[in-house]
Amino acid sequence: MSVIYDRVALIGLGLIASSMAHAMRRAGLAGEIVGTARSAATRDIAREIGFCDRIVDTAAKAVEGADLVVLAVPVGAMGAVAAEIGAHLQPGATVTDVGSVKRAVIETVAPHLPETVHFIPGHPLAGTEHSGPRSGFAELFDNRWCILVPNGSDDAATEKLVALWRGMGSNVEVMDADHHDLVLSVTSHTPHLIAYTMVGVADDLSRVTDSEVIKYSAAGFRDFTRIAASDPTMWRDVFLANKDATLEILGRFTEELFALQRAIRTGDGEALFDYFTRTRAIRRGIIEAGQDTDAPDFGRSGKHD
C-alpha cells in the first residue's frame, strides 16, 4: 500500500500505539512516525525497539507538523493531553483516539481542539492483557473491528482514517458515539466488571484456599482471571466515563441472573436448558464471525506511561 499520512504522532506508547506503529510500518502507511510517552523509561524502551522514527519528550513537540495525531492514553487523561496539544496542531490535521468510551472522550477532548482540525474518535476492538511498548505487534488488528465516530468531520477525512485502519488489517464500522458506548457496555465493559467481581469472590471465599483456586482453575475461571488482569487505571476511567450505559446493562444482567437463580432453586431444568441453548447459539455466531481469537478485546487503550 501507499503512504496515507505523511507524519503520524502517537501520544502514549502502550500496547495499542506500539501495535499501530508496527502495523503501519508493515504496510508502509506512514511517511514518519513520531512518538511520546509520559515517562522517560517508556520513551527509552521505545527508542530501543525502534518502532517510531523519532521519540520526543512532550506531546506538544510530537504533534508539530503531524497530519494524524493518535491519543493512546487512558480516557481520564485525554482532556489534559488535548489541552496540551491544541495550540500546536497544524490546520487540516486529523485527531483520533483509541479509548473504549466515546461520548466522554468527545466531551473532554473536543473543547480543546481548534476548528481547523478533524476530530474522529476511534476504538480498535483488539487487545491483550499485556501492556507497555514491548507488548505491541503488527498482527494485533488483523480481522478485528475498529469503530470510528465521525463526530461531524467531513467525509474525506473520515475515509482517509478508514483507509488507515483497513491498511492495518482491521474491519471498520462507523457508529454514533452513544450507540458505541451502549454496545461496548454489553460486549466489553460489563463483562470486565463481572470478571473482576468473580475473581474477587474467589479471593473472599474463606472455604477455598488460594492454592486451590490456582491449582483447580478450570477454563472458565482462567478466562475470568485473564480479563481481570487488565490495566486498573484504564478500567477505572472506563467505568466512570461510561457510567450510565454500564449501569443499564448491569441491571439487565442482574435480572437475568435472578431468573437463573430461580430456575436452579425450583429445579426448572427446562428453563435452564432453553437458556443455555440460546446463549450457545450466540457463542457460535461469534466464532463464525471470526471474532474468537487468542487475543480478546480487553478494551485497552494503552497506558500513557
Side-chain angles (χ1 to χ4, degrees):
M1 296 187 66
S2 59
V3 170
I4 296 177
Y5 292 99
D6 293 327
R7 179 177 295 170
V8 176
L10 300 175
I11 314 300
L13 297 172
L15 169 68
I16 295 297
S18 59
S19 294
M20 288 183 70
H22 289 301
M24 284 186 282
R25 286 189 175 280
R26 177 183 65 176
L29 302 173
E32 182 185 25
I33 302 174
V34 181
T36 190
R38 184 178 57 190
S39 78
T42 299
R43 296 195 298 269
D44 288 342
I45 293 172
R47 288 190 185 96
E48 174 192 332
I49 298 171
F51 56 77
C52 290
D53 296 295
R54 288 190 292 124
I55 300 293
V56 296
D57 57 4
T58 68
K61 290 180 182 178
V63 305
E64 291 177 356
D67 48 352
L68 175 66
V69 175
V70 181
L71 305 181
V73 302
V75 171
M78 287 192 185
V81 173
E84 180 184 351
I85 67 174
H88 303 275
L89 296 166
Q90 72 171 7
T94 293
V95 177
T96 189
D97 78 296
V98 293
S100 62
V101 177
K102 295 277 76 76
R103 175 57 61 192
V105 167
I106 291 172
E107 291 175 352
T108 58
V109 171
H112 300 291
L113 303 181
E115 294 182 358
T116 55
V117 305
H118 309 285
F119 179 38
I120 308 174
H123 179 201
L125 306 187
T128 75
E129 68 271 34
H130 305 295
S131 61
R134 296 191 190 278
S135 60
F137 55 101
E139 298 78 17
L140 180 65
F141 310 113
D142 288 352
N143 200 35
R144 306 293 290 179
W145 285 97
C146 179
I147 298 173
L148 296 180
V149 178
N151 192 43
S153 294
D154 65 55
D155 292 342
T158 301
E159 285 304 314
K160 193 173 181 180
L161 189 57
V162 168
L164 178 76
W165 278 107
R166 286 178 176 162
M168 291 190 293
S170 288
N171 305 311
V172 181
E173 186 76 50
V174 173
M175 194 176 291
D176 170 78
D178 294 325
H179 188 63
H180 165 278
D181 289 354
L182 180 63
V183 169
L184 267 295
S185 71
V186 175
T187 62
S188 178
H189 302 167
T190 304
H192 274 79
L193 191 64
I194 294 167
Y196 280 120
T197 303
M198 191 61 230
V199 174
V201 167
D203 183 57
D204 291 339
L205 194 59
S206 60
R207 296 191 305 276
V208 178
T209 68
D210 290 343
S211 63
E212 286 175 319
V213 169
I214 295 170
K215 183 176 180 180
Y216 301 122
S217 287
F221 191 77
R222 285 197 301 271
D223 287 343
F224 273 134
T225 58
R226 180 170 60 167
I227 293 174
S230 300
D231 177 40
T233 299
M234 187 203 70
W235 281 105
R236 176 202 63 195
D237 291 351
V238 165
F239 289 123
L240 293 177
N242 200 25
K243 176 171 59 177
D244 292 341
T246 300
L247 288 175
E248 177 183 345
I249 300 306
L250 196 59
R252 294 288 298 273
F253 171 79
T254 303
E255 292 173 6
E256 298 272 320
L257 191 60
F258 282 148
L260 289 174
Q261 284 179 310
R262 184 168 55 250
I264 294 170
R265 184 179 299 111
T266 60
D268 191 346
E270 182 178 355
L272 291 171
F273 181 82
D274 290 345
Y275 191 91
F276 298 152
T277 299
R278 177 167 63 89
T279 54
R280 186 169 92 164
I282 295 171
R283 167 62 177 171
R284 286 177 171 173
I286 293 172
I287 295 173
E288 291 170 1
Q291 294 305 297
D292 178 57
T293 73
D294 290 333
D297 169 33
F298 288 88
R300 183 178 298 282
S301 65
K303 291 177 66 179
H304 185 214
D305 49 10

